Amino acid sequence: QLLLPFFLQKALGVRQYHVASVLCQRAKVAMSHFEPNDYIRYDLLEKNIDIVRKRLNRPLTLSEKLVYGHLDDPANQEIERGKTYLRLRPDRVAMQDATAQMAMLQFISSGLPKVAVPSTIHCDHLIEAQVGGEKDLRRAKDINQEVYNFLATAGAKYGVGFWRPGSGIIHQIILENYAYPGALLIGTDSHTPNGGGLGAICIGVGGADAVDVMAGIPWELKCPKVIGVKLTGSLSGWTSPKDVILKVAGILTVKGGTGAIVEYHGPGVESISCTGMATICNMGAEIGATTSVFPYNHRMKTYLNKTGRAEIAKLAEEFKDHLVPDPGCQYDQVIEINLNELKPLINGPFTPDLAHSVAEVGAVAEKEGWPVDIRVGLIGSCTNSSYEDMGRSAAVAKQALAHGLKCKSQFTITPGSEQIRATIERDGYAQVLRDVGGIVLANACGPCIGQWDRKDIKKGEKNTIVTSYNRNFTGRNDANPETHAFVTSPEIVTALAIAGTLKFNPETDFDGKKFKLEAPNADELPHTNFDPGQDTYQHPPKDGSGQRVDVSPTSQRLQLLEPFEKWDGKDLEDLQILIKVKGKCTTDHISAAGPWLKFRGHLDNISNNLLIGAINIENGKANSVRNAVTQEFGPVPDTARYYKKHGIQWVVIGDENYGEGSSREHAALEPRHLGGRAIITKSFARIHETNLKKQGLLPLTFADPADYNKIHPVDKLTIQGLKDFAPGKPLTCIIKHPNGSQETILLNHTFNEGQIEWFRAGSALNRMKELQQ
């Protein structure tokens, strides 16, 4: 039984027995060789799908099968795409080290003795790229010793597996060890959908959602719509899986997938490797999609066999009908892409949905005034660090070396995991990439998330980089707002780094020595087995109750959490506007990464980066807002702290798709900690909206988006209707102008009954404690 009191189990809807502890009727196959006693439950998936199919009386998409197959109560759950909230039972939880700190601090605060589902922590975010893999890793272990020790001991105490620094990037580790066709996994990172390349529903969430699942509580998700992407033809030549998602991003834009699962299907799927499908699903986060998924096929079977999971592949074959869409299923939207006609793409700068063909980007750059000379090319990251990716890049590099050429640009390589690193070293790819001028970095996120100690330019210097990463928001990679970052495939990055310019098209252009690069060809998987490299996994002990987890009260990096105050039962009156944000405001703008990552376990310290990247509409500047009391302009966090000290509650006004990007819940924790009460925008990104609700903030949207223009930074707002707060019922907002005049507008919300209780209790964690008591 779960380690919760019976009355709490009943109140929260916790199941009496962890489903994975009940043997599969047809076969006992472990979800992972790290957890031999937790079994895949295809029989339960099959049972739930049958119940829902009979209720809905129609064919189901693959996404529906896998999501509805994990319903807590499939017989009675209300199901309507895009409207109802589903109560789901995920199979497992994964956390990267930057978000795991706050997730584990919240789990500690819950008072529960052990996690209820298999869970893992992955140390990949805190390793800064400086000079190369080994030295950078040693430095990170030294600098982050306190945090790594906290995560390791917390994992041991609460039954969570711990992947040490150097293991690799969370999403590659999940693909190699934990994802399997039909699984439902949640991860505290927005690129968790990477696992869709192995036919799993993998969804990025905030740490508070992870705590719910680790506590054995049903996890809530708004019933997703389903966007179908039909692929025909086949990939060939320089065209890669990365080009598929770059094309989709160009079509749907950064918010076109919001509230939907993107489901790929059609004959073109067969031409894409398992890791290529993972690349496509990974970057689906850039279009706001809940997740992305591919149907089970022989490419997944091959990958499972190669990564030591032949028993899972065999079981998946037996249940294959449930791991593909039903014939005749209906999608909410369908996009068709002919892979025969797809050309290599490069997206950017400053946004991942600005698509250009590689053949034309040089001319576009010259016209727009973007630097055409490439300072650095960077390959790897969670998006493109597979064996196949490294092989195709090495194939390009070999051709250059054969003609006496090396990279004109700086060039870095990030292996996705220790297994990938060891295997590309064994098979010679790493040396080829070094020979052409590359530096192999640590198995970690590195420059992709801003962990890059870049020395070749000064901040403010205009320059161009090309990467095989997933995001290219302003300042993301190197904290320089003048870095024009472009996203493309690893092989195109390699070719462009050799040429040193955006004006080079490897499909057609010749080098000065009059030779033309041939399209790269490389093995999908190694001929022999993967080399596992060093053992970097720490198993949790069977009984961790005696384990100590120390958090020093004087620590600058870790801080035990204090509960947020309960709602006082009154409307929110005379809210001061902290900032009215102009334009794009991602989680990078709200809670910057890079050097701030070291404070992810210390809420008060990291709150000093609150909204420092957001543009204030009043003066067009970042990190400069007017203090309504002193009338002086100052940093956003300082102004928020002033308001908190003087008992002034405040609100943020935002634009479209507010909070797009990372899953980091610090972007919700920080405004709550510094006295924020509501965030009012034209629209929200899915994960951020949920994170705000979990922390007791009000994410509200203008009933009429044009009302954004009625509010000025010097106004005060009163939000009425909270005493009768109810699902679907708008709230009233009174805008009080300095001249004494007032306007009234309506604000919409997406709270359901349970989420309203989070607000009333002060946070979702507070609500959990209330029920325990």
Side-chain angles (χ1 to χ4, degrees):
Q1 283 188 318
L2 294 178
L3 300 170
L4 289 171
F6 174 77
F7 58 83
L8 179 58
Q9 295 180 28
K10 188 172 182 180
L12 295 177
V14 177
R15 53 190 162 195
Q16 293 291 299
Y17 296 92
H18 180 6
V19 293
S21 68
V22 184
L23 302 186
C24 183
Q25 293 174 0
R26 301 189 200 179
K28 287 173 59 177
V29 175
M31 287 194 283
S32 161
H33 68 269
F34 294 108
E35 296 128 0
N37 297 317
D38 291 295
Y39 302 104
I40 294 174
R41 290 300 314 277
Y42 281 153
D43 61 323
L44 183 63
L45 185 76
E46 180 178 58
K47 177 183 175 182
N48 289 353
I49 290 171
D50 288 345
I51 292 170
V52 173
R53 186 186 283 112
K54 289 175 182 176
R55 285 184 55 202
L56 298 182
N57 193 30
R58 61 172 173 79
L60 301 177
T61 67
L62 171 61
S63 306
E64 291 180 305
K65 286 184 177 182
L66 303 190
V67 172
Y68 305 160
H70 285 84
L71 285 170
D72 181 53
D73 183 6
N76 298 298
Q77 170 73 60
E78 188 179 356
I79 299 172
E80 186 176 356
R81 286 185 194 171
K83 292 191 176 180
T84 57
Y85 277 86
L86 307 178
R87 290 163 61 85
L88 302 168
R89 294 290 187 180
D91 296 301
R92 64 181 310 118
V93 172
M95 299 167 280
Q96 41 96 333
D97 51 355
T99 49
Q101 295 171 63
M102 195 57 66
M104 292 309 296
L105 286 165
Q106 289 178 87
F107 189 82
I108 291 169
S109 295
S110 75
L112 301 172
K114 191 174 182 180
V115 297
V117 299
S119 305
T120 50
I121 295 168
H122 304 259
C123 295
D124 61 358
H125 271 57
L126 301 179
I127 302 168
E128 185 179 50
Q130 280 192 331
V131 294
E134 290 185 13
K135 290 182 178 178
D136 293 347
L137 180 58
R138 284 199 299 271
R139 178 173 176 268
K141 287 179 178 179
D142 181 54
I143 291 173
N144 302 308
Q145 182 179 8
E146 179 187 17
V147 171
Y148 292 147
N149 180 64
F150 166 73
L151 293 173
T153 55
K157 184 172 184 65
Y158 297 105
V160 179
F162 180 69
W163 288 85
R164 300 183 186 94
S167 301
I169 305 172
I170 177 173
H171 313 302
Q172 184 67 27
I173 297 291
I174 288 171
L175 199 71
E176 293 172 355
N177 298 281
Y178 297 117
Y180 61 85
L184 174 59
L185 178 151
I186 68 166
T188 60
D189 188 279
S190 57
H191 293 104
T192 301
N194 192 79
L198 204 42
I201 294 291
C202 299
I203 301 177
V205 299
D209 276 348
V211 172
D212 278 357
V213 178
M214 291 191 291
I217 298 170
W219 173 58
E220 288 192 353
L221 175 72
K222 182 178 279 190
C223 187
K225 295 183 178 181
V226 187
I227 298 173
V229 178
K230 183 178 181 180
L231 303 178
T232 59
S234 61
L235 292 175
S236 62
W238 284 91
T239 308
S240 72
K242 188 65 164 278
D243 297 308
V244 176
I245 185 57
L246 294 177
K247 179 71 173 179
V248 171
I251 294 169
L252 288 177
T253 76
V254 291
K255 63 176 184 176
T258 302
I261 294 177
V262 179
E263 182 175 313
Y264 293 86
H265 63 283
V269 169
E270 299 300 318
S271 72
I272 306 173
S273 66
C274 178
T275 53
M277 290 186 273
T279 290
I280 294 168
C281 292
N282 177 296
M283 204 174 154
E286 308 332 312
I287 58 173
T290 301
T291 192
S292 302
V293 68
F294 278 83
Y296 178 72
N297 67 3
H298 72 283
R299 309 298 280 264
M300 296 182 192
K301 178 181 179 181
T302 300
Y303 186 79
L304 286 167
N305 287 334
K306 204 64 157 178
T307 52
R309 293 174 287 173
E311 286 189 339
I312 294 179
K314 183 178 179 181
L315 190 64
E317 287 288 326
E318 189 175 346
F319 285 86
K320 186 174 181 178
D321 287 349
H322 303 300
L323 306 175
V324 297
D326 285 341
C329 66
Q330 296 297 308
Y331 298 99
D332 294 285
Q333 179 183 352
V334 177
I335 297 168
E336 293 196 25
I337 298 176
N338 185 342
L339 301 181
N340 293 332
E341 299 173 356
L342 189 62
K343 291 292 184 181
L345 296 171
I346 182 168
N347 288 22
F350 306 125
T351 184
D353 58 350
L354 184 58
H356 320 275
S357 71
V358 172
E360 297 170 349
V361 69
V364 174
E366 285 189 321
K367 179 182 177 183
E368 298 292 337
W370 305 330
V372 295
D373 292 336
I374 298 168
R375 297 295 291 266
V376 192
L378 307 99
I379 65 169
S381 85
C382 66
T383 319
N384 279 107
S385 55
S386 69
Y387 185 82
E388 181 182 33
D389 290 326
M390 296 298 169
R392 284 174 68 89
S393 295
V396 174
K398 280 182 182 178
Q399 295 181 60
L401 290 167
H403 289 83
L405 295 178
K406 289 192 175 185
C407 291
K408 292 181 180 177
S409 309
Q410 293 183 38
F411 185 44
T412 71
I413 301 97
T414 303
S417 68
E418 171 61 9
Q419 178 170 275
I420 294 295
R421 183 208 62 77
T423 306
I424 66 172
E425 289 285 3
R426 181 196 69 190
D427 294 352
Y429 291 168
Q431 191 56 48
V432 169
L433 295 170
R434 287 192 191 97
D435 290 343
V436 84
I439 296 174
V440 179
L441 300 175
N443 314 323
C445 300
C448 182
I449 60 163
Q451 284 283 49
W452 184 16
D453 185 19
R454 189 177 181 189
K455 302 292 189 184
D456 64 300
I457 61 162
K458 296 178 181 178
K459 190 168 182 178
E461 182 180 342
K462 199 173 181 181
N463 74 104
T464 284
I465 64 173
V466 292
T467 82
S468 70
Y469 303 163
N470 41 47
R471 290 202 175 123
N472 55 352
F473 301 143
T474 302
R476 177 175 174 85
N477 302 121
D478 60 3
N480 180 11
E482 290 300 325
T483 293
H484 294 57
F486 293 84
V487 176
T488 186
S489 68
E491 52 266 46
I492 293 294
V493 171
T494 306
L496 292 178
I498 292 167
T501 175
L502 288 176
K503 296 175 71 175
F504 179 72
N505 177 10
E507 284 193 299
T508 58
D509 293 351
F510 290 77
D511 175 70
K513 296 185 178 180
K514 299 300 180 186
F515 85 94
K516 179 173 172 289
L517 289 170
E518 297 296 326
N521 189 30
D523 292 328
E524 175 181 343
L525 295 163
H527 287 294
T528 57
N529 290 332
F530 280 105
D531 183 337
Q534 300 178 43
D535 182 7
T536 55
Y537 179 71
Q538 171 187 294
H539 287 268
K542 289 184 179 179
D543 181 6
S545 58
Q547 176 70 55
R548 285 181 58 86
V549 182
D550 293 325
V551 176
S552 169
T554 60
S555 172
Q556 294 301 300
R557 298 197 60 178
L558 295 167
Q559 181 186 47
L560 293 174
L561 296 174
E562 295 290 334
F564 292 129
E565 72 279 2
K566 276 188 74 169
W567 176 57
D568 62 8
K570 301 176 182 178
D571 289 335
L572 299 175
E573 296 188 358
D574 292 330
L575 297 172
Q576 188 63 56
I577 295 169
L578 177 66
I579 182 173
K580 182 179 179 182
V581 178
K582 178 182 178 182
K584 185 186 284 283
C585 190
T586 71
T587 48
D588 282 320
H589 295 92
I590 304 167
S591 176
W596 292 95
L597 285 169
K598 60 179 173 286
F599 297 125
R600 285 283 180 88
H602 197 293
L603 179 54
D604 194 58
N605 281 346
I606 199 169
S607 293
N608 288 322
N609 75 3
L610 174 65
L611 286 158
I612 61 175
I615 301 301
N616 180 9
I617 200 169
E618 186 175 6
N619 57 12
K621 295 180 179 180
N623 202 24
S624 175
V625 295
R626 184 195 302 271
N627 183 315
V629 178
T630 67
Q631 293 301 307
E632 295 177 355
F633 280 85
V636 182
D638 293 357
T639 307
R641 288 186 185 277
Y642 180 96
Y643 290 160
K644 180 179 181 180
K645 180 180 178 181
H646 291 84
I648 301 170
Q649 296 184 325
W650 50 263
V651 62
V652 170
I653 307 301
D655 211 318
E656 293 277 7
N657 207 31
Y658 184 91
E660 71 174 274
S662 168
S663 70
R664 68 192 67 155
E665 65 179 337
H666 297 77
L669 281 159
E670 292 174 34
R672 183 75 164 99
H673 174 63
L674 294 184
R677 298 302 296 146
I679 312 292
I680 305 173
T681 71
K682 294 180 182 177
S683 63
F684 285 98
R686 174 190 62 86
I687 301 176
H688 187 59
E689 181 180 20
T690 300
N691 286 345
L692 291 168
K693 291 178 183 178
K694 288 275 185 176
Q695 302 308 332
L697 279 153
L698 291 171
L700 306 172
T701 55
F702 297 105
D704 179 357
D707 288 342
Y708 169 87
N709 299 315
K710 293 180 179 179
I711 298 177
H712 306 288
V714 292
D715 295 336
K716 290 186 178 182
L717 306 181
T718 291
I719 298 174
Q720 297 179 334
L722 292 174
K723 293 179 181 178
D724 301 315
F725 200 8
K729 185 177 179 181
L731 297 172
T732 299
C733 177
I734 299 173
I735 307 169
K736 300 178 181 180
H737 301 300
N739 63 7
S741 63
Q742 296 185 1
E743 293 182 76
T744 300
I745 61 174
L746 291 180
L747 301 175
N748 291 331
H749 65 85
T750 60
F751 282 83
N752 61 25
E753 289 286 0
Q755 293 166 350
I756 289 172
E757 290 305 315
W758 300 344
F759 171 74
R760 289 174 176 151
S763 71
L765 186 58
N766 287 0
R767 179 59 177 161
M768 184 193 298
K769 291 178 179 178
E770 282 183 355
L771 291 170
Q772 279 183 277
Q773 293 164 1

